[in-house]
Amino acid sequence: VFTKVSECYSDTVFVANLTDGGEGVKLDSVLGLTMDKLQISRNSTEPAGIGTAIRVVGAPAGYVVLRDHNIYNVRDAIRLETGVSHLIVKEGWTEMFTNYITGAWAAFAAVGMLNTDASHFIGSDATHRLFYAESAPAGYDIRKMIVSTSRITFPSVSAGTALFDASAVNNTVGEQRFALERCLWTSTDMIVFKKHASQAWYYCQVVLSGNTGIPTAALPVHGV
């Protein structure tokens, strides 16, 4: 989907046999896009491969809406290399993945609302993250990321893995807001939020509300 698409709708898209370095759908400078019944898979038994299901690049995106998607066996389910005002996911199924949303932003790439609702996350690899800041300039903002009424099953998790992981970037002034609300989840050795050892945040908010599963007392927040 290429430059200056102001409003686009697609229904029932299948992408199979994704290569290790490949991408299922590339959104380049898209202003508005709704995708229904998107299915992307990688033809390999290797857990959490190194492909990308949805890659967002170019000029800052407007709204991106995904409904009833199925993403299987990728490293990054959604990779943001530019800003996005609204990313809305409804009834998604993401299985065998490393990162659900990966941020690899250029300068001045603001992020508005990242909202996932009524979805399933099922992992079988050792490392799982709902959000991973892979790279970012100083001062990048996430106005709010919300995961709500979803099922999160990480049966095998390496120690130190974080649901919201910003440990790779040293951001000095950005604002971050993350919320996990009304989810059913099970995991072990899981940190809720993990930041860079020398980071000094201007504002960071982590909200856990109404979740069932592992007690929140066993899910530490690191370095905030």
Side-chain angles (χ1 to χ4, degrees), residues 200-222:
W201 292 93
Y202 173 70
Y203 183 89
C204 181
Q205 180 186 66
V206 178
V207 176
L208 300 178
S209 174
N211 300 291
T212 57
I214 225 169
T216 54
L219 296 165
V221 174
H222 165 73

Side-chain angles (χ1 to χ4, degrees), residues 115-119 146-151 179-183:
N115 194 347
T116 298
D117 183 59
S119 296
I146 304 173
V147 178
S148 60
T149 57
S150 297
R151 181 178 180 180
L180 196 66
E181 302 172 347
R182 304 183 308 282
C183 291

Side-chain angles (χ1 to χ4, degrees), residues 14-26:
F14 295 89
V15 180
N17 300 328
L18 185 68
T19 60
D20 281 348
E23 55 206 19
V25 174
K26 179 181 179 181

